[in-house]
Amino acid sequence: YGWIAPSFSGTQLKSGRLAVCADHIVGQWSAYPITHTISSVITSDDHGATWQWQAAGSPDGAEMNECAIATLPNGTLVMNARNYIGEKDYSVKRAIMWSHDEGRSWIGPYLNPDLSDPIVQGSMIAGEYTPASLGVGKPLFFTNAHSELDRANNTLMMSTSGGVRWEHVLQVQH
């Protein structure tokens, strides 16, 4: 790999496995222009003493990076990745991918129509401790600059469908 950039985002699976988001560039030693970026995970099965790269991730050449990861109640991993697909016509949507085997392989990417993105990092967490009185189960929460044009409209979004559909909760800042 040309370079590897671990993310701020990680999760612990029911098996105890740690999974940390990362992105890397294949066969490129400089950061720009960006080509062949892949979002994937680095995992540890011994409480962080050693780490393994999970080679599968977003498709090579799909130009995905700066991802966030969360675990759904059924154990499925969800990855939410920045990407450049649609950059030329300002139609970029966040890429969502799912893993049913602890990060070894991924389904997707699904360019989510609910998640506009000006090609910027975003944050996603599982609402594991969301009060039952709210009636939303254990949702995913996501924040980003919810705009296709610029880094504006910092918005909190929520998904109760494992990342398939997202609804607006609050615009934090314009």
Side-chain angles (χ1 to χ4, degrees):
Y1 304 116
W3 58 263
I4 297 172
S7 170
F8 58 89
S9 181
T11 187
Q12 184 170 22
L13 304 166
K14 292 176 184 176
S15 67
R17 170 174 272 192
L18 301 174
V20 176
C21 248
D23 59 82
H24 61 280
I25 291 182
V26 178
Q28 181 178 343
W29 298 97
S30 63
Y32 296 99
I34 295 175
T35 60
H36 301 290
T37 58
I38 296 175
S39 291
S40 189
V41 295
I42 302 169
T43 61
S44 174
D45 294 316
D46 56 11
H47 308 288
T50 61
W51 293 86
Q52 302 79 41
W53 187 264
Q54 299 298 325
S58 64
D60 179 21
E63 298 183 3
M64 295 185 191
N65 57 26
E66 293 185 356
C67 53
I69 193 170
T71 306
L72 297 177
N74 69 358
T76 299
L77 286 176
V78 179
M79 184 185 295
N80 184 322
R82 162 181 140 156
N83 68 85
Y84 296 79
I85 300 169
E87 176 182 25
K88 290 185 179 21
D89 65 357
Y90 301 101
S91 64
V92 176
K93 307 296 183 197
R94 296 291 294 197
I96 306 293
M97 293 168 278
W98 297 268
S99 175
H100 301 291
D101 58 6
E102 298 191 329
R104 292 177 193 90
S105 64
W106 294 88
I107 297 168
Y110 167 57
L111 300 178
N112 195 293
D114 300 330
L115 300 179
S116 298
D117 193 71
I119 310 174
V120 67
Q121 190 165 338
S123 297
M124 182 177 68
I125 61 169
E128 185 173 342
Y129 302 105
T130 304
S133 62
L134 293 177
V136 294
K138 296 181 180 180
L140 293 171
F141 293 105
F142 175 69
T143 60
N144 78 322
H146 192 73
S147 169
E148 293 174 333
L149 301 175
D150 57 15
R151 294 181 178 201
N153 304 324
N154 187 8
T155 302
L156 173 64
M157 304 288 284
M158 179 177 72
S159 174
T160 57
S161 62
V164 176
R165 302 298 304 166
W166 293 83
E167 63 185 82
H168 178 274
V169 176
L170 174 71
Q171 182 173 323
V172 178
Q173 183 181 27
H174 172 69

